Amino acid sequence: MNNAHWLLPEGIDELLPPKALQLERIRRDLLDLFDSWGYDLVQPPIIEYLESLLTGTGGDLDLRTFKLTDQITGRTLGIRADITPQAARIDAHQLRREAPTRLCYVGTVLNTRNDDFAGSRSPLQIGAELYGHSGVESDHEILCLMLKALERAGIDNVYLDLGHVGIFRALAQESGLDKQQELALFDALQRKAVPEIEALLDGCELEDDARRRLASLASLSGDDALERARKSLAGAGAEVQSALEQLERLAALLVERRPDVPVHFDLAELRGYHYHTGVVFAAFVSGLGQEIARGGRYDDIGKLFGRARPACGFSADLKMLMRLGSAKNLNETTGIFAPAENDSALRQRVEELRAEGRRVVIALPGQTGDAGTMYCGEALVKQGDNWVVKTL
């Protein structure tokens, strides 16, 4: 028999009971958390004009974005692969506030290929963004909110990787690298391919000090990376020194507020290089070789929407958080089974239990299946004139 009628495309998944409800409860809990920190919920559309979705991202999302033609206007539409640019558009064009703006969101995004971040082509992206403040304090707030969100999802033993794309960008500028040389070196640094980095730098005709600083980035990772960077990058320009100071201040704030979270540094980690402008970070857990949440500063993303406001934020795949979390799983015996009887006292008791937030399943006359089949571990039983809940 041909089973193509019920097959889903590769990388596209669906959730069945009870996982779908578990995911929904985590979603509500995290949105309540964001609200308690002052983050306002927005719901951008899943489809927009393509140029709007890709604005400010440096083309990183282009290959990941599904495209189609609008039958009304003839213009090219895109199905969002990331909600961050949409939130930036809302801040810059729709809200236009002068004060700092805090926004949060949750929604499905689609990717043309599997994303290493989520391992899926249809992640349920959840995140928070802070606009209108350029200080380390807003980076710190976003990082602490991300850590709190991971805790709420039941994820323990998180550690952070911190970097700063401004260091490499400023060194490349100071050294006089052209765009092609910069991108080639960027790619090699991501892979920490030291022989390739050395060969690229040999072909760039750089001054000795400039070459040495760029070459040192590949080794500037680890808990003591900032201390070693002060020596390796001595003599670099003001932008590099400012970026190092920002990382040092952010690290000090994290030690003060979250001393329980290990922090590692990697100055060659340039995730989101084409649109991030400052601090970049990612959260990891032991035993998993991919990040579970990520973010950073991207101050220029709103420029083409009319306002280049400072911005920082983070995002995660809610479905991945559910899989990794140790939060209480919903089992198949959480309901209360009520018999199929025309009894006013029974109906009143059912309404009372539902008002208390309990799950009550009423049997249908002649149905197949008992309480266990209906995911109920308890039942309403009549004792005298009263209906009481009994464990099965």
Side-chain angles (χ1 to χ4, degrees):
M1 179 183 293
N2 185 354
N3 63 359
H5 297 296
W6 56 79
L7 287 178
L8 293 174
E10 182 179 349
I12 304 297
D13 55 1
E14 61 188 355
L15 289 176
L16 305 178
K19 290 295 185 182
L21 181 57
Q22 183 181 348
L23 183 76
E24 174 61 15
R25 289 184 177 176
I26 296 173
R27 184 193 72 86
R28 296 176 197 171
D29 195 24
L30 293 188
L31 290 182
D32 286 344
L33 169 68
F34 295 161
D35 181 65
S36 73
W37 282 51
Y39 285 74
D40 297 320
L41 180 65
V42 293
Q43 294 183 332
I46 196 170
I47 189 168
E48 289 195 45
Y49 290 120
L50 183 63
E51 58 267 28
S52 178
L53 287 176
L54 301 183
T55 293
T57 64
D60 279 2
L61 294 178
D62 192 15
L63 292 177
R64 291 168 45 200
T65 301
F66 280 100
K67 304 172 180 71
L68 61 158
T69 301
D70 185 358
Q71 297 299 309
I72 296 177
T73 65
R75 294 174 62 183
T76 302
L77 303 175
I79 300 174
R80 67 185 180 199
D82 186 357
I83 299 179
T84 301
Q86 296 184 295
R89 173 183 57 75
I90 288 172
D91 171 71
H93 186 66
Q94 301 288 80
L95 300 179
R96 304 189 64 82
R97 297 171 181 166
E98 296 299 328
T101 299
R102 293 170 170 87
L103 301 179
C104 64
Y105 56 80
V106 61
T108 296
V109 297
L110 291 176
N111 287 270
T112 56
R113 57 190 67 188
N114 286 343
D115 185 355
D116 292 337
F117 177 41
S120 167
R121 290 205 295 166
S122 59
L124 185 59
Q125 185 179 340
I126 189 166
E129 317 288 336
L130 201 167
Y131 302 95
H133 186 270
S134 58
V136 170
E137 294 80 6
S138 48
D139 296 323
H140 179 243
E141 178 175 316
I142 284 290
L143 267 169
C144 288
L145 179 57
M146 180 183 75
L147 291 170
K148 184 62 70 174
L150 296 178
E151 289 173 2
R152 283 285 186 92
I155 300 175
D156 302 317
N157 302 318
V158 172
Y159 65 90
L160 292 176
D161 263 12
L162 289 184
H164 197 300
V165 300
I167 294 174
F168 171 69
R169 185 172 283 124
L171 288 175
Q173 240 178 357
E174 291 175 15
S175 302
L177 298 182
D178 61 33
K179 197 63 179 176
Q180 184 176 357
Q181 292 170 327
E182 179 183 339
L183 292 177
L185 186 56
F186 157 77
D187 180 64
L189 278 170
Q190 291 302 279
R191 293 180 280 111
K192 290 187 169 58
V194 175
E196 187 178 339
I197 292 170
E198 296 286 348
L200 285 169
L201 293 174
D202 286 343
C204 290
E205 300 181 357
L206 303 177
E207 295 182 3
D208 289 345
D209 284 345
R211 185 191 186 286
R212 173 182 54 78
R213 291 179 194 125
L214 282 167
S216 71
L217 289 178
S219 63
L220 291 177
S221 61
D223 298 350
D224 64 341
L226 293 188
E227 298 172 21
R228 291 186 285 116
R230 280 299 186 186
K231 298 176 183 177
S232 299
L233 303 181
E239 285 188 44
V240 173
Q241 304 308 324
S242 175
L244 288 174
E245 288 172 9
Q246 290 170 26
L247 280 176
E248 288 168 345
R249 288 183 58 205
L250 182 56
L253 288 171
L254 285 169
V255 168
E256 177 184 333
R257 184 164 174 184
R258 295 303 308 261
D260 57 312
V261 178
V263 178
H264 306 289
F265 301 94
D266 189 347
L267 301 193
E269 176 51 68
L270 304 172
R271 63 176 62 84
Y273 176 69
H274 298 293
Y275 70 94
H276 278 304
T277 59
V279 170
V280 289
F281 53 83
F284 294 85
V285 291
S286 299
L288 187 67
Q290 65 187 98
E291 61 217 36
I292 61 171
R294 64 186 177 197
R297 179 161 290 280
Y298 51 98
D299 288 346
D300 296 331
I301 195 170
K303 184 175 182 180
L304 292 180
F305 294 123
R307 302 179 77 205
R309 294 238 288 170
C312 59
F314 82 91
S315 64
D317 175 21
L318 195 59
K319 289 187 280 190
M320 173 185 278
L321 300 189
M322 181 185 69
R323 290 195 300 270
L324 296 175
S326 58
K328 181 180 178 182
N329 290 326
L330 298 174
N331 56 47
E332 295 183 350
T333 58
T334 57
I336 301 171
F337 195 67
E341 294 189 19
N342 186 18
D343 185 307
S344 60
L346 173 61
R347 290 194 297 272
Q348 181 178 347
R349 184 65 180 129
V350 167
E351 291 300 320
E352 291 171 352
L353 289 167
R354 287 173 173 169
E356 294 169 7
R358 298 299 307 274
R359 174 187 172 98
V360 183
V361 180
I362 299 176
L364 296 172
Q367 75 166 58
T368 300
D370 57 9
T373 307
M374 307 303 291
Y375 311 130
C376 295
E378 297 175 301
L380 277 169
V381 178
K382 193 168 188 178
Q383 290 186 348
D385 294 331
N386 300 317
W387 289 90
V388 297
V389 178
K390 291 288 187 180
T391 301
L392 298 176

